């Protein structure tokens, strides 16, 4: 581990080309860099479709897009723009770009490395079996940067929050409480992480028994809107489908208004964790919550698949193994706590 003098660091580059959740998992490393070098300018380059999840974060000075293709065209002018660079992503083009424009470059050692980098490349061994945030922090720790704040970061603007309130008002739902967001589906290539729709139906029934005015917002993409249609048809007075017709940032603003979020392991669950809303998050045994769930978040209940730590496979042990009664009990506990806090305030 090296310790670099603060006054020698003026410009820092962090490259993170990943999906929504994996991009958010990098935010503790970004925050730690800015805390260690507060006078330095932090430039973050992310996938063009993921930049929006990093907007308005106060520890990022410059935010821009990059791909493995655009990286081929960048960094050819004389002089090195950055004192430090941290590359998250296995595409060799990203690493070569960082080497063209940076004095010192940190990356994980399990990717294609250039044969020669003039002593400026610092490969770091990847730790397996640790939380994803801790794994990603290894690169900045190699540069002497320590982090004590492991929370993910996401920033909803006042204008975005106001627009979300107006959307609910337009549907006659602004005054409905409690508001419960449901993320029923992951993405198609990870469909084994989906929790059965009939379990969500059971959850809604039980919550309505205790909270007859509850409003449920179905979150997700256009595919989720189609698949969750039976819930809206069964509970027409209580279920609003906002999936598929909201931008990512508009959906996140709606999530910031929730009293409770219940979801499977996917990008919006990371956003909910970053927002700090009360949440119940379910994790498949191949992707344990111990490695992915929000850290330092006292309002997050993690529900691990019962096969976690065993030899079951995705094909033989699906998410139906997590009982509806288990999730319902946790959900009702969160809502009861929120109601008690509301009464005291």
């Amino acid at each position: 581990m090296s310790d670099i003098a603060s006054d020698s660091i003026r410009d820092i580059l962090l490259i993170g080309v990943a999906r929504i959740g994996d991009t958010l998992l990098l935010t503790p490393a970004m925050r730690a860099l800015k805390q260690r070098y507060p006078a330095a300018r932090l430039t973050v380059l992310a996938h063009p479709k993921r930049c929006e999840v990093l907007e308005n974060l106060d520890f990022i000075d410059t935010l821009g897009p990059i791909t493995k293709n655009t990286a081929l065209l960048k960094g050819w002018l004389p002089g090195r723009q950055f004192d430090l660079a941290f590359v998250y992503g296995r595409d060799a083009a990203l690493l070569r770009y960082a080497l063209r424009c940076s004095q010192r470059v940190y990356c994980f050692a399990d990717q294609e490395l250039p044969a020669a980098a003039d002593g400026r490349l610092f490969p770091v061994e990847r730790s397996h079996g640790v939380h994803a945030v801790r794994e990603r922090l290894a690169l900045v720790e190699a540069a002497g940067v320590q982090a004590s704040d492991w929370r993910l970061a996401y920033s909803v603007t006042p204008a975005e929050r106001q627009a979300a309130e107006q959307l609910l008002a337009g549907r006659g739902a602004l005054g409905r409480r409690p508001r419960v967001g449901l993320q029923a589906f992951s993405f198609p290539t990870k469909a084994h992480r989906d929790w059965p729709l009939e379990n969500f139906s059971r959850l809604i029934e039980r919550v309505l028994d205790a909270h007859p005015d509850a409003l449920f917002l179905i979150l997700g993409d256009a595919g989720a809107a189609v698949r969750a249609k039976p819930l809206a048809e069964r509970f027409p007075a209580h279920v609003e489908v906002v999936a598929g017709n909201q931008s990512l940032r508009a959906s996140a603003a709606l999530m910031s208004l929730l009293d409770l979020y219940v979801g499977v392991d996917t990008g919006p669950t990371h956003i909910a964790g970053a927002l700090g809303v009360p949440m119940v998050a379910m994790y498949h045994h191949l992707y344990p919550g111990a490695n992915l769930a929000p850290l330092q978040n006292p309002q997050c209940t993690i529900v691990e698949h019962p096969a976690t730590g065993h030899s079951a496979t995705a094909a033989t042990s699906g998410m139906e193994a997590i009982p509806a009664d288990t999730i319902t009990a946790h959900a009702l506990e969160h809502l009861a706590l929120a109601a008690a806090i509301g009464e005291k305030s």
Side-chain angles (χ1 to χ4, degrees), residues 21 31 37 96 108 131 171 179 184 189 200 226 229 233 315:
R31 183 195 294 115
Y37 301 109
R96 293 194 183 102
F108 284 115
H131 193 281
R171 298 191 180 197
R179 302 183 192 121
T189 58
F200 277 102
V226 173
K229 187 177 178 181
E233 293 175 342

Side-chain angles (χ1 to χ4, degrees), residues 82-136:
F82 300 102
D83 303 297
L84 297 174
F86 302 87
V87 180
Y88 295 88
R90 297 180 182 276
D91 290 312
L94 302 176
L95 183 56
R96 293 194 183 102
Y97 159 63
L99 285 167
R100 288 196 294 272
C101 63
S102 308
Q103 298 288 351
R104 298 165 67 95
V105 179
Y106 295 82
C107 71
F108 284 115
D110 58 352
Q111 67 177 85
E112 180 184 347
L113 302 176
D118 304 325
R120 292 179 293 108
L121 182 62
F122 297 83
V124 177
E125 293 297 329
R126 192 185 298 270
S127 298
H128 297 283
V130 301
H131 193 281
V133 167
R134 298 292 301 141
E135 176 189 0
R136 287 154 176 78

Side-chain angles (χ1 to χ4, degrees), residues 14-172:
L14 187 146
I15 299 175
V17 178
R19 301 185 71 93
I20 293 172
D22 290 327
T23 299
L24 285 171
L25 287 168
L26 295 174
T27 54
M30 299 173 193
R31 183 195 294 115
L33 283 168
K34 194 64 175 180
Q35 290 176 341
R36 175 65 180 85
Y37 301 109
R41 185 170 191 83
L42 175 60
T43 296
V44 174
L45 301 181
H47 189 282
K49 294 183 179 180
R50 310 292 178 250
C51 284
E52 59 182 332
V53 305
L54 301 174
E55 290 176 1
N56 309 304
L57 295 178
D58 58 10
F59 45 78
I60 297 177
D61 297 296
T62 300
L63 175 63
I66 193 171
T67 68
K68 62 182 180 181
N69 293 325
T70 61
L72 298 172
L73 308 175
K74 299 168 70 71
W76 292 103
L77 295 177
R80 298 213 163 96
Q81 180 180 355
F82 300 102
D83 303 297
L84 297 174
F86 302 87
V87 180
Y88 295 88
R90 297 180 182 276
D91 290 312
L94 302 176
L95 183 56
R96 293 194 183 102
Y97 159 63
L99 285 167
R100 288 196 294 272
C101 63
S102 308
Q103 298 288 351
R104 298 165 67 95
V105 179
Y106 295 82
C107 71
F108 284 115
D110 58 352
Q111 67 177 85
E112 180 184 347
L113 302 176
D118 304 325
R120 292 179 293 108
L121 182 62
F122 297 83
V124 177
E125 293 297 329
R126 192 185 298 270
S127 298
H128 297 283
V130 301
H131 193 281
V133 167
R134 298 292 301 141
E135 176 189 0
R136 287 154 176 78
L137 283 171
L139 287 195
V140 301
E141 289 172 348
V145 176
Q146 297 299 313
S148 58
D149 189 347
W150 301 339
R151 295 172 299 165
L152 307 188
Y154 185 97
S155 178
V156 174
T157 68
E160 289 171 339
R161 187 177 179 90
Q162 182 179 24
E165 291 173 343
Q166 291 173 346
L167 186 148
L168 291 179
R171 298 191 180 197

